[in-house]
Amino acid sequence: MGSRIRDNVNHLFECFCEVVKPQADEKEAWIIQKFPDVYKDEEVLKSVPKFAYPCDFDNSVIQHYSFVLTSVDSKWTFGFCRHDPKSATAVVLLSFLPWHETFYKLLNSISDLIHNAQIDLLSPFLNKVYTSKVPDPGMSFQVPLNNNTNSIFVCQAPKQFQLPSIPENRNLTEYYNAVDCDNMIRIFASMLYERRIVFTSKRLYRLSACVQAANAIIYPMNWQHIFIPVLPTHLVDYLLAPMPYLIGVPNTLLDKVRKADVGDVVILDADNNTVESPFDDLGSLPQDIVKQLKSQLKNRASLLGDGVSRAFLRALVHLIGGYRDALNVNQGEKITFNSEAFVESRPSNMQPFLRKILELQIFQQFIDERLAMLNEGRGFSDEFELEAWNYCDKNSSKLKAQYKEWTYTMKKEGTAFFKSVKTRANPAVKSAVKTVKERGKDVGKAYKGIRSKLRDLGDEKGKQRAHVATAPSTSFRKDILNKQRRSAAPDMSQSQAPYSALTPTSPDHGENSALQFSPLNMDLMGDLQDVLFNKCSLLETPGQTPNKMVRSSI
C-alpha cells in the first residue's frame, strides 16, 4: 500500500471550513463558510461537519484535535479542528500535510480574525496563506495577519524525518502524560501484530493525540489499515470490521457499543491508563528487546526531546534492522529482498516473531519502500538507518561496508548524484562509476585492479556465490594502495578521452581482447572502498558527524 502521505503538495491547506454545531431543531452540523470557493470535493465537504462534531463531548475548554479522511487511493487528508466553548462554531482546516503544531497555531490565528468584528480580515489572510509557497522542511513561513506589517503569522515547517519530541510535539507529549510506559509498550506490541485496537477518552484532543502518537512511534513503518483518530457516530459500524484497525472512540460512543458484538479487540482507556487485551502480544516479542525498551523508558531524565521516540526506534532496529543482510545484490539485476535469509540471519529467539512479521502489511510496506529507493538510485539516510549503524551484532555485518557507502554517498553528493546516472548503471555500481569519473587520477589503477579481479573470476567458472553479498577484498585494496604509493597517478584532466561506463567493448580492453565477461555477483563497492573513499570515510574519521536527514513528525 505504501506511504499514506501525498508527495508534491502545492498548498499549505486545501480548504478552510467554519462549521455550526447542531442546534435543537437540527440533527446535524453544517458548514457556514468555506475557502477557497473553488474547492468542490463534495464527499469531503459532507464528512467535515460529522467529524467536527462527532458526538456529544465535553466542550468546557478550548481544544484542538485532528481527524483523517482516507481517499480511494489510500492517501490521507488531515483535518485539524478547533473548538471554543464560547463559540457556536468550530473552525477546520483540511491539508495533505501532517503538521499538527503548524495548523493548530494557524487555527488560533484564524479564530482571532473571525471574532474581530471591525473589518473582514479573514479572507485576505486565508488567500495569502493559500497562495504562498509551501515552506521547505525546517524553513520558516511568514504571512501578514493584516495590512499592518507589524502583525505577522510565523511558523516553522517540521524537519524531514524528525522524530517526535517532548514537549514540542503535543501528540507524543499528551500520549506520554496519559499512558504509562508499560501500557505504551503493550500497545506498541499489539500494533506490530496488527490487532484491532481501540483508544477511548472523553476528551477529543487526548483521543486524537494518543492515536496519532501511537502511529508515529512505529516509524519507519506506518499503519496500513483502518485509521480513524476520532470516530464519528455515523461510522460506529467500523468497530465491527474483521480487519485490523486503529480507532479513537469517544467514551460516550463506546458506551453504546456491545463489546460482545465487537469481538477480540485491544482497548486502551487513555483517561484511566488501562489496557484490556485478549492477546499476549508483549510476551510474544523477544524478551531481551522488551527488557531493554522498558529500561530506556524508565530513565525519565533521558526522555525529554526525542528520548521516547528513539527508545522505540532502537527496539525496531533490533527487530527488523537485519533486513539489510537479506538484500540480494547482483550485477545487472534489481536489488531484492530474501525473506528466508532475513529470518535465518537473526538469533533463534527472534525467528518466530520475524516469521510472523513477514506476513504483516506494515513490514511489507517498509521493505517495498526501501527497495524502491535503492533501485531508483535515490538512496536514503534517515534516523532508522543511522541507528542501525550504531547497532551491529555478530550476525549483521555482511553488507556493512557496501551499505555504508550507499548512505554516505547520499549524504555527500545528494539526490541529484544518483538521478544523473540511474539510467546507465545498476544501482550497486552506479556510485563506483560516477566517483571513478570524478576522481580521474585514480581511475587507471582502479580499473586495472577490476580487470585483474575479473580475470580471477574467469578462472573460477562454475563456482557460485554462497551468500547474497561478499565482504570487501582486503588484499585487493592493499594491492591498489601499494601501487598508488609507488607511483603518482598521471594528470588526466587535460588528456583523458570522454568517459563512458565500463563495458566488454570499451577501448581499454583492446580490439582483440580475449577476456570474456560473465554475470557478476561481487562487491565492487567494497573492492573500491579505499580508492574511492580513502579520504572521506564516514565512520572512521574522528570527530566527524554525519549530516542527518530528519523526519516530518505526525
Side-chain angles (χ1 to χ4, degrees), residues 57-69:
F57 61 93
D58 180 9
N59 193 24
S60 59
V61 297
I62 294 176
Q63 59 180 326
H64 302 83
Y65 69 89
S66 64
F67 57 89
V68 169
L69 303 176

Side-chain angles (χ1 to χ4, degrees), residues 326-363:
L327 295 178
N328 291 315
V329 184
N330 296 307
Q331 192 269 341
E333 300 177 5
K334 286 187 175 183
I335 300 172
T336 58
F337 176 73
N338 186 327
S339 58
E340 189 62 29
F342 169 65
V343 175
E344 295 298 329
S345 67
R346 312 307 293 160
S348 58
N349 68 314
M350 293 180 58
Q351 292 184 8
F353 168 77
L354 297 180
R355 293 191 185 280
K356 176 63 179 177
I357 204 171
L358 286 172
E359 305 171 0
L360 304 182
Q361 288 191 27
I362 56 173
F363 181 73

Side-chain angles (χ1 to χ4, degrees), residues 303-509:
L303 297 183
L304 286 178
D306 65 4
V308 173
S309 301
R310 193 165 296 279
F312 284 101
L313 179 66
R314 287 170 178 163
L316 285 172
V317 166
H318 293 186
L319 289 171
I320 65 174
Y323 85 94
R324 298 178 299 164
D325 291 330
L327 295 178
N328 291 315
V329 184
N330 296 307
Q331 192 269 341
E333 300 177 5
K334 286 187 175 183
I335 300 172
T336 58
F337 176 73
N338 186 327
S339 58
E340 189 62 29
F342 169 65
V343 175
E344 295 298 329
S345 67
R346 312 307 293 160
S348 58
N349 68 314
M350 293 180 58
Q351 292 184 8
F353 168 77
L354 297 180
R355 293 191 185 280
K356 176 63 179 177
I357 204 171
L358 286 172
E359 305 171 0
L360 304 182
Q361 288 191 27
I362 56 173
F363 181 73
Q364 190 60 53
Q365 171 264 332
F366 164 75
I367 291 297
D368 290 346
E369 189 176 70
R370 300 280 149 159
L371 290 179
M373 288 190 287
L374 285 175
N375 287 317
E376 292 171 9
R378 288 181 289 155
F380 41 78
S381 177
D382 56 18
E383 291 291 338
F384 178 80
E385 300 299 335
L386 294 175
E387 280 293 340
W389 280 7
N390 296 329
Y391 172 74
C392 182
D393 61 27
K394 295 180 181 180
N395 298 318
S396 179
S397 60
K398 289 186 293 182
L399 289 179
K400 182 179 178 181
Q402 189 174 38
Y403 201 79
K404 179 169 61 178
E405 287 152 5
W406 279 339
T407 51
Y408 172 80
T409 303
M410 274 303 299
K411 295 185 187 72
K412 188 70 177 176
E413 308 294 347
T415 305
F417 173 93
F418 283 94
K419 289 184 178 179
S420 66
V421 297
K422 70 179 181 180
T423 59
R424 293 187 294 166
N426 173 273
V429 300
K430 58 180 68 170
S431 294
V433 173
K434 182 64 176 180
T435 311
V436 169
K437 178 181 177 182
E438 295 177 346
R439 295 167 174 80
K441 65 180 182 180
D442 290 327
V443 70
K445 295 178 177 55
Y447 180 48
K448 289 178 182 178
I450 294 176
R451 291 180 62 187
S452 175
K453 187 75 171 180
L454 293 174
R455 290 192 185 97
D456 292 343
L457 289 176
D459 295 337
E460 299 178 358
K461 290 183 179 180
K463 294 184 179 181
Q464 301 296 326
R465 292 278 183 176
H467 304 287
V468 298
T470 60
S473 171
T474 304
S475 61
F476 178 56
R477 293 199 301 271
K478 288 182 178 179
D479 291 342
I480 294 177
L481 293 175
N482 289 335
K483 290 179 182 180
Q484 286 180 305
R485 297 188 184 98
R486 289 195 295 267
S487 61
D491 185 0
M492 304 175 67
S493 61
Q494 302 295 328
S495 59
Q496 186 178 9
Y499 185 82
S500 60
L502 303 180
T503 68
T505 59
S506 295
D508 294 57
H509 289 288

